[in-house]
Amino acid sequence: TQLLEQSPQFLSIQEGENLTVYCNSSSVFSSLQWYRQEPGEGPVLLVTVVTGGEVKKLKRLTFQFGDARKDSSLHITAAQPGDTGLYLCAGYSGNTPLVFGKGTRLSVIA
Amino acid sequence: DSGVTQTPKHLITATGQRVTLRCSPRSGDLSVYWYQQSLDQGLQFLIQYYNGEERAKGNILERFSAQQFPDLHSELNLSSLELGDSALYFCASSVVLGLNTEAFFGQGTRLTVV
């Protein structure tokens, strides 16, 4: 069974701070996605990383895929209250449906 | 708007009852997935259909079943409901792009069993 471990589970920070959340697995994935979910809504895709070592930037969010394609990180610069939500990583290996981590619940306080 | 439609948004029912959740995928997507989300378990994969056929099965209970119809909409049937079945149920549709797949989620159905 492929598992994705996300850390930390909970994170509460002040507006303007930087943060990094992690997504780790012992399995290799052909691609990895990050989703953000707000209360009462479904997860919304933020980014997909495919190549080992790949770095993608989405405004203040930087996503990195590990060289071995087993792990990923999400770094947020100068966090804002609008960044509050549940951040989920999901891995795809081509022969199984997307496997999700349990998520990091981020709270950014103004 | 993801393009995936789920109904109903909320459902309250009693233990022992049976309910049906409905999902319409994005136009053109052949794959439909069902996930269950509870506070302590995260998003748990239940079942996947592709173009009307079951493609993969996850931790789906025998009391639960699903199907995908010729028009590609899908239904998830939950029977003999128990209190522990209370959760958010999400449907997602996806397109496979080479080594990658991207899933688009509906807004979910919040099921409360009382």
Side-chain angles (χ1 to χ4, degrees):
Chain A
T1 303
Q2 297 172 311
L3 291 174
L4 281 166
E5 300 286 340
Q6 289 191 246
S7 60
Q9 284 186 53
F10 302 95
L11 189 55
S12 182
I13 62 171
Q14 295 291 323
E15 182 177 3
E17 291 184 359
N18 301 333
L19 67 113
T20 302
V21 298
Y22 300 92
C23 174
N24 296 296
S25 176
S26 58
S27 302
V28 175
F29 293 99
S30 58
S31 68
L32 197 139
Q33 287 94 44
W34 284 91
Y35 293 78
R36 180 162 156 258
Q37 184 180 15
E38 297 189 40
E41 302 291 329
V44 175
L45 179 66
L46 295 175
V47 78
T48 301
V49 285
V50 179
T51 307
E54 182 177 4
V55 176
K56 278 192 174 178
K57 291 193 175 183
L58 187 67
K59 297 183 181 177
R60 293 175 294 100
L61 278 59
T62 301
F63 305 85
Q64 183 161 9
F65 201 12
D67 291 340
R69 291 186 287 124
K70 293 182 179 182
D71 53 84
S72 181
S73 63
L74 158 59
H75 182 79
I76 301 179
T77 303
Q80 299 177 0
D83 296 326
T84 294
L86 178 67
Y87 288 82
L88 296 158
C89 66
Y92 177 68
S93 62
N95 57 356
T96 59
L98 280 174
V99 174
F100 281 84
K102 290 190 178 182
T104 292
R105 195 166 295 279
L106 173 65
S107 177
V108 182
I109 302 164
Chain B
D1 183 7
S2 68
V4 178
T5 304
Q6 285 188 251
T7 56
K9 195 165 172 63
H10 300 278
L11 198 49
I12 302 175
T13 190
T15 55
Q17 294 298 305
R18 172 190 165 95
V19 297
T20 297
L21 313 183
R22 195 178 191 279
C23 169
S24 294
R26 292 189 323 158
S27 177
D29 285 354
L30 300 179
S31 266
V32 169
Y33 306 80
W34 286 97
Y35 286 87
Q36 179 192 57
Q37 187 178 40
S38 55
L39 280 174
D40 57 343
Q41 291 296 321
L43 268 169
Q44 297 288 307
F45 167 68
L46 296 178
I47 197 163
Q48 177 198 0
Y49 279 82
Y50 180 83
N51 202 21
E53 294 191 3
E54 184 183 301
R55 175 63 69 92
K57 227 172 186 178
N59 299 320
I60 187 167
L61 300 172
E62 285 191 12
R63 300 183 285 109
F64 296 179
S65 65
Q67 54 185 328
Q68 186 178 27
F69 295 87
D71 67 353
L72 301 178
H73 92 270
S74 178
E75 292 181 356
L76 178 66
N77 300 296
L78 315 176
S79 61
S80 303
L81 285 166
E82 302 174 359
L83 296 177
D85 297 327
S86 295
L88 273 166
Y89 291 84
F90 286 103
C91 165
S93 72
S94 76
V95 56
V96 177
L97 308 164
L99 295 176
N100 176 28
T101 187
E102 296 180 345
F104 296 86
F105 284 80
Q107 290 195 313
T109 294
R110 181 175 292 280
L111 173 67
T112 303
V113 183
V114 297

